[in-house]
Amino acid sequence: MARKSAQLPKKELRKWATVQVKKGQILLTEKDFVNPPQFTEGELVEIIGIDHEFLGYGYMAKQQKGVGWILTRDQNADTGLLDNLVFVQEKLQEAKNQRQSLLIDDTTTAFRIFNGEGDGIGGFTIDWYAGYALIQWYSEGIYRYRKIILEALNNVFPELKGIVGKNRFNLDGKADFPQSEILAGDIPETLTVQENGVNYVVRLDDGWMTGIFLDQRNVRNFIQSELAPGKTVLNMFSYTGAFSVAAALGGATETMSVDVAKRSQQLTEEQFQANGLEIGEQHKVRVMDVFNYLDFAKSHDLRFDIVILDPPSFSRTKKHTFQATKDYRSLVADALSILNRGGYLVSSTNAANMSREDFIKQIGEGSDDAHVDLVPVESFSLPADFPAPKGNPESDYLKVEIFQKA
């Protein structure tokens, strides 16, 4: 039964925010509101403009990005919204319909099936791993509606074998929520998925990350099919070596994977073995600070045909602190010093607070510092299964620029 007449608390936006919502903004921050918003986690609200005109229905929740999301701009919509199974199920079904080509692709069995605000409900995402679902909850407010979301998910994807949840809103440790929890089914300790025919071993219920970043699918494919044949490859901040595996299968003569995490050796070996490859003379792993390795490579006159840079937005080791918005320039300069002439620099960042223009500017400044000319080759952003609303540029976070050293 529709509840259009149900009265929801009204939250008034400032003039500039009113304009932005009309242009498609979905995410709301504290500064968007006339008064600092007071709310309970997950509270359903009516959003109004400075002149009290209706802007939409949404919900409030404290998260890293902001404090609320608009769910619909239809004034005649059922105001039950997230309490309404039909509303949630329709959003999930629409998302599934948009991913039919991936769901029937036997060579790719891991991808995103629901991308939060890009698919109509901000605050959580769902990834598909060969029949298993991984949900990431980004606020206590959206977590409040998990029973309805899980019911809708099972109705839309009856073939699901199991569901894992990651509670990413408990970063400060103030709330008593598990980091990871099994929500349905039996979850294997490890699972092998495919991406463009390449095997990757993932762990769905082991910490924040699974072993592969699904948003880099198109970049890995480009490296494998277009750049790697006959090349030597340095993969910095390599994690489990996914870029290295793609390059090796594409015909790279050598790969070097470098990451400071102690588990990177074991996890990278595992990924190579899943594809019939071995770590050894041709494919190597170094567990060390990336910046120390750059110094080591320069002092030992090591050179590579491809250097891949995919650092976290922020990281800190004993000797180095890296912040993408400030330090990418120097990282590029150091990397170019060990890149062969005619070689390729693959620069990537997931820093939502850095625009593509600023990212390219930092790369350009780094090349100037290294006294090197770069020729643009290719650009990548989020793949089609990671839709982002046009009104929220921070949701379109992935920026990958590939250059050739002149």
Side-chain angles (χ1 to χ4, degrees), residues 13 35 52 81 164 176 192 224 234 239 275 304 336 348 386 401:
L13 300 186
N35 298 306
H52 297 277
L81 300 170
V164 175
D176 186 22
T192 300
Q224 179 180 353
L234 173 62
Y239 183 32
N275 290 279
F304 299 88
L336 288 174
S348 175
F386 284 72
E401 297 293 333

Side-chain angles (χ1 to χ4, degrees), residues 356-374:
R356 186 173 293 271
E357 291 74 20
D358 287 341
F359 182 50
I360 293 174
K361 181 181 178 183
Q362 282 214 45
I363 297 171
E365 291 171 343
S367 68
D368 290 341
D369 294 341
H371 306 291
V372 167
D373 290 328
L374 293 177

Side-chain angles (χ1 to χ4, degrees), residues 15 18 40 72 103 107 140 207 216 223 268 273 310 333 397:
K15 185 176 181 179
T18 298
T40 59
T72 180
L103 287 163
T107 67
E140 186 178 346
Q216 294 278 15
I223 290 172
T268 303
Q273 290 168 1
D310 186 24
Y397 59 85

